[in-house]
Amino acid sequence: MDFQISITGFVAIYVFMLAAFAGWVIIGNVPAILHTPLMSGSNFVHGIVVVGGIYALLNASTVQEQVIGFFAVLLGAGNAAGGYAVTDRMLAMFKTSEHRPAQAKSGRVKSNHAKKT
């Protein structure tokens, strides 16, 4: 199966600008409480970017194309890994701690009242 896609420069710029505008409109209308699930979804999209970079790298014929493909894979993988780390950190903020610090472990209760002399 032979599959080729050719995108000229202006079409690529048009697709990029259309994607940027759609992303700006979509993210601008998302409430703040849904930012964490949206971030997880964007990590999935970055995974697709990594697959596209690998595809471009495997089909590169010149050294310049190989360098661009290498940096695309490197930056896409770093962005996806960083996104997952930030999402994990944000989800950890919503977890409740099950272990409360024991204040009266020694049998003595601290008094919050100041001693009168």
Side-chain angles (χ1 to χ4, degrees):
M1 183 167 101
D2 190 19
F3 183 72
Q4 277 193 328
I5 296 175
S6 66
I7 297 177
T8 62
F10 285 114
V11 174
I13 290 173
Y14 175 74
V15 169
F16 176 76
M17 291 177 59
L18 186 63
F21 180 73
W24 178 66
V25 169
I26 291 170
I27 291 174
N29 291 327
V30 172
I33 196 163
L34 295 177
H35 281 182
T36 302
L38 180 66
M39 190 169 202
S40 296
S42 67
N43 290 337
F44 171 73
V45 172
H46 290 291
I48 294 172
V49 169
V50 171
V51 171
I54 290 171
Y55 180 76
L57 182 62
L58 292 176
N59 290 324
S61 58
T62 64
V63 174
Q64 183 182 10
E65 291 173 352
Q66 291 174 348
V67 168
I68 291 172
F70 173 75
F71 279 113
V73 171
L74 182 70
L75 294 176
N79 200 5
Y84 280 113
V86 169
T87 301
D88 186 46
R89 188 171 179 177
M90 289 176 69
L91 290 176
M93 291 174 28
F94 293 106
K95 290 181 182 173
T96 58
S97 61
E98 295 178 12
H99 300 290
R100 298 187 141 212
Q103 289 181 339
K105 199 170 191 176
S106 64
R108 294 173 47 188
V109 177
K110 275 189 169 179
S111 173
N112 292 333
H113 302 287
K115 289 185 178 178
K116 294 182 181 176
T117 56

